[in-house]
Amino acid sequence: ERPDRPTWSKQIEFTLAGIGCAVGLGNIWRFPYLCYRSGGGAFLVPYLLMLVVLGIPLLYMELTVGQYTRRGPVHALAIVCPLFKGVGMASVAISFIMCTYYNLVITWALYYLFSSFQAPLPWQHCNNTWNTANCTNHATNSSYSSTASQEFFNLRYRMLEQTSGVDEPGTIRWELCLLLILAWILIYLCIFKGVKSTGKVVYFTALFPYVILIALLINNAQLPGALDGIKFFIVPQWERLLSLEVWVNAAAQIFNSIGIGFGSLMAMSSYNSFHNNVLKDTLTISIVNSLTSILAGFVIFSAFGYMSYLQGIAVPDLAVDGPGLVYVVYPQAFANMPVAQLWAVLFFFMLLCLGLDSEFAMVEVLVTSLLDEFQQKMIQIFRWKELLVLAVCVAAFVLGIPCVMQVGIYVFQLMDHYTAIVSIMSLAFFEVIAICWIYGVKRLSSNLEEMTGMRPNIFFRACWLVIAPVLITVILVFSIIQFKPARYEGYVFPPWAQGVGWVIAMASIIWIPLAAFHTLWILPGSFVQKLKLSVTPYALNEKSNMPYYERGHVTKFTFTHLFLY
């Protein structure tokens, strides 16, 4: 135990925070979109299989390491495998990069939330000043016309006022900038007291979305055509299972949804009591996360069925893409529902809650890691932890300003494409190698037994040792081979923008080789001796709480000597 380490007031607070971290906007738009693109019910088969053999075992692994080491991802990975301490640093880097642009989605939710109090809804008709001559009140797939909902979201007319490409930055959208400030204020108020404030907030933000989802499902199920959408969602097109891309998408969704490799859940589990039942939290978080995705699927696809009824076309022929699923398609469905304003307000408030949970978890990773390594220095500089959290939020806000310019949607799409696909899969690969193979399943099992009195069963050991590493390797190789340049709708980013995307991806991945080189550089002995020491885990001296190598003859080093500043 580390007596200086704060813990959750109640264990249920960590469970709810973990659910809030895992359950996010990806459950509402990325899962239904991938399901739609992969043939509906056919996607559920590989998705549930990947949950069992990848999601649950790897979440169990991350929570175990975080709880046992009582540290954030940077220190935790450096303890279990000094050679791959950069994995922890990369997870912090990717969390910070993502939190700078992910908050834009919360900003959009706030914009739509405030707009939903108007009657009629501004995207309900084409009589607004920003609408064009091509606007139509009826949904259409024609390239020569656009719906009021489409024009409200993008097309250079209302919310985004987007430019024609990334080459034209345009000006700052001051309405969005003010809402981005409001979003960061909300984030700060959620986490400025650490787990003590976060633990109280999650009671509402983690539970309220389920009330809204259930209410929406009850409402949508009564709409004409809803059954057709639900059938498409649950009835598999078995021939789609022959496509390797469907299986890779299912695995990637598990990683992105649960948050494997982000470090968020590992950081939050470091505040658990040492003897907490890790398996119970693992099963609760992962299963609730997947059930939420399926519940959201019923809600979204029932709306798809209603839209196909209004348009007179089949569900597979609807135009659905990325963020437009939430901010174009669903608002369009609201426009034709009874009491449209009420459902719009509830839906976008739900998106706000989901976004806040995921966002403050990513910010918490950086704060936890800074305090783990530089606590005395941070306190000397900022006097109080609250000021450190404020500095992190201000820095992230400043870096996120390009996202609220007229070019913002392109910046968002570029960062999300290279961070969510390239960085996360590479990071997950090295994390699994470091923990499952180098640190070893035997040590991991021993850690669990020390904390809970129970060793993991043969299924988890097999997943850690063989199944997960093999599957992640296949997914990573396939992702590289099939990698496609970033695009937004019909716009393909120019080569220089693709280069910027790769720089963003490397901003997190580069810490892995750099930290490995640093470890080998400072260790004594020949290269073989250095390599041997670099894969020897730290243990903790119970009396001094100072790290040392398990082999007594090795010269002792303080932890900061092995940390890459």
Side-chain angles (χ1 to χ4, degrees):
E1 291 282 6
R2 295 179 61 196
D4 61 318
R5 188 81 168 182
T7 57
W8 299 93
S9 300
K10 298 178 181 178
Q11 199 55 46
I12 185 64
E13 293 179 0
F14 166 71
T15 306
L16 289 176
I19 291 172
C21 174
V23 176
L25 296 175
N27 300 75
I28 305 298
W29 90 38
R30 186 171 274 123
F31 173 83
Y33 170 64
L34 288 176
C35 196
Y36 179 86
R37 196 176 69 180
S38 302
F43 185 75
L44 295 178
V45 177
Y47 175 79
L48 294 176
L49 181 62
M50 293 299 174
L51 169 67
V52 173
V53 299
L54 278 182
I56 293 176
L58 294 184
L59 179 59
Y60 195 20
M61 174 195 75
E62 283 199 351
L63 296 187
T64 299
V65 171
Q67 183 171 304
Y68 185 78
T69 59
R70 305 281 287 163
R71 290 175 173 86
V74 176
H75 276 212
L77 267 297
I79 287 172
V80 301
C81 180
L83 182 65
F84 284 121
K85 63 187 178 185
V87 174
M89 301 169 70
S91 67
V92 174
I94 198 172
S95 292
F96 184 65
I97 291 171
M98 291 193 70
C99 78
T100 60
Y101 75 84
Y102 187 85
N103 221 5
L104 180 64
V105 184
I106 300 177
T107 302
W108 293 343
L110 286 170
Y111 190 96
Y112 269 83
L113 176 63
F114 293 140
S115 300
S116 297
F117 288 98
Q118 302 178 36
L121 293 172
W123 55 84
Q124 201 165 2
H125 57 80
C126 290
N127 300 325
N128 302 289
T129 56
W130 64 82
N131 289 131
T132 67
N134 293 328
C135 180
T136 174
N137 290 324
H138 302 287
T140 176
N141 283 333
S142 172
S143 59
Y144 301 102
S145 61
S146 55
T147 65
S149 179
Q150 288 173 322
E151 295 196 352
F152 184 84
F153 179 70
N154 52 22
L155 293 180
R156 316 176 198 173
Y157 304 128
R158 182 55 180 166
M159 187 182 77
L160 299 181
E161 293 185 2
Q162 71 185 62
T163 58
S164 59
V166 72
D167 299 298
E168 301 177 34
T171 59
I172 293 178
R173 292 280 292 114
W174 289 107
E175 291 173 283
L176 294 182
C177 188
L178 292 175
L179 290 175
L180 182 63
I181 294 174
L182 175 59
W184 276 113
I185 291 173
L186 293 174
I187 295 297
Y188 177 77
L189 294 176
C190 288
I191 66 172
F192 77 107
K193 286 291 186 181
V195 294
K196 300 302 180 184
S197 60
T198 304
K200 303 299 181 290
V201 172
V202 293
Y203 280 110
F204 180 78
T205 57
L207 297 176
F208 179 75
Y210 294 99
V211 177
I212 304 304
L213 281 174
I214 293 172
L216 285 171
L217 179 59
I218 294 173
N219 176 77
N220 291 3
Q222 303 175 53
L223 298 174
L227 187 60
D228 293 331
I230 293 175
K231 284 181 179 178
F232 181 81
F233 176 56
I234 62 177
V235 177
Q237 299 176 21
W238 297 109
E239 65 277 6
R240 300 299 294 271
L241 293 179
L242 299 177
S243 171
L244 184 59
E245 184 178 4
V246 173
W247 292 83
V248 171
N249 286 339
Q253 174 60 18
I254 288 293
F255 274 89
N256 283 283
S257 182
I258 296 180
I260 304 298
F262 286 90
S264 304
L265 288 168
M266 187 181 293
M268 291 195 293
S269 68
S270 69
Y271 298 107
N272 281 337
S273 61
F274 187 74
H275 298 291
N276 172 59
N277 188 337
V278 188
L279 181 58
K280 180 187 69 175
D281 288 327
T282 299
L283 294 175
T284 302
I285 292 171
S286 55
I287 292 175
V288 169
N289 172 69
S290 292
L291 289 177
T292 304
S293 294
I294 294 173
L295 175 61
F298 278 103
V299 174
I300 298 297
F301 276 89
S302 59
F304 284 174
Y306 177 53
M307 289 182 60
S308 72
Y309 169 80
L310 293 176
Q311 297 182 38
I313 61 175
V315 174
D317 297 327
L318 292 171
V320 177
D321 189 17
L325 179 67
V326 172
Y327 292 105
V328 175
V329 176
Y330 214 79
Q332 190 173 304
F334 283 137
N336 297 283
M337 291 182 182
V339 201
Q341 287 77 18
L342 173 63
W343 293 116
V345 168
L346 292 177
F347 181 76
F348 291 114
F349 187 71
M350 176 193 71
L351 292 185
L352 175 63
C353 291
L354 291 173
L356 288 175
D357 278 340
S358 300
E359 181 73 14
F360 67 60
M362 288 186 282
V363 176
E364 186 63 47
V365 172
L366 181 60
V367 174
T368 297
S369 300
L370 287 174
L371 289 176
D372 277 349
E373 180 60 26
F374 307 111
Q375 183 162 3
Q376 292 185 349
K377 292 181 180 179
M378 292 294 107
I379 296 301
Q380 287 176 0
I381 296 173
F382 295 101
R383 301 289 297 272
W384 296 285
K385 178 186 175 182
E386 291 82 354
L387 292 180
L388 170 62
V389 177
L390 179 61
V392 171
C393 291
V394 170
F397 161 73
V398 172
L399 292 174
I401 288 178
C403 293
V404 292
M405 297 178 66
Q406 289 178 284
V407 75
I409 185 63
Y410 301 108
V411 176
F412 173 86
Q413 193 72 10
L414 186 69
M415 296 182 72
D416 188 62
H417 183 80
Y418 284 92
T419 304
I421 297 177
V422 179
S423 300
I424 281 298
M425 296 312 301
S426 302
L427 189 57
F429 172 79
F430 286 106
E431 181 181 273
V432 169
I433 297 301
I435 298 176
C436 294
W437 281 4
I438 298 179
Y439 185 64
V441 172
K442 184 177 180 180
R443 286 193 181 98
L444 199 60
S445 301
S446 178
N447 297 158
L448 273 168
E449 186 175 21
E450 184 179 346
M451 291 190 296
T452 64
M454 298 182 296
R455 297 179 69 86
N457 58 38
I458 190 172
F459 168 75
F460 286 111
R461 297 200 301 272
C463 288
W464 290 336
L465 190 61
V466 180
I467 300 175
V470 170
L471 284 177
I472 291 175
T473 303
V474 171
I475 294 167
L476 181 60
V477 171
F478 182 82
S479 300
I480 294 173
I481 293 174
Q482 297 292 320
F483 184 78
K484 298 176 182 178
R487 63 174 61 230
Y488 177 65
E489 295 182 339
Y491 175 79
V492 179
F493 287 82
W496 70 264
Q498 303 287 351
V500 172
W502 281 109
V503 170
I504 294 171
M506 293 305 297
S508 57
I509 300 174
I510 194 64
W511 294 104
I512 299 175
L514 284 179
F517 175 79
H518 178 264
T519 299
L520 294 173
W521 178 264
I522 66 173
L523 286 174
S526 65
F527 179 77
V528 174
Q529 291 173 323
K530 288 173 179 283
L531 194 60
K532 188 175 182 180
L533 290 178
S534 69
V535 295
T536 303
Y538 268 120
L540 287 177
N541 186 310
E542 295 178 358
K543 294 181 180 180
S544 65
N545 201 36
M546 291 293 292
Y548 64 98
Y549 280 108
E550 292 177 331
R551 300 179 184 273
H553 65 275
V554 177
T555 305
K556 295 181 181 179
F557 289 91
T558 61
F559 188 80
T560 48
H561 286 149
L562 280 178
F563 184 83
L564 179 58
Y565 287 90

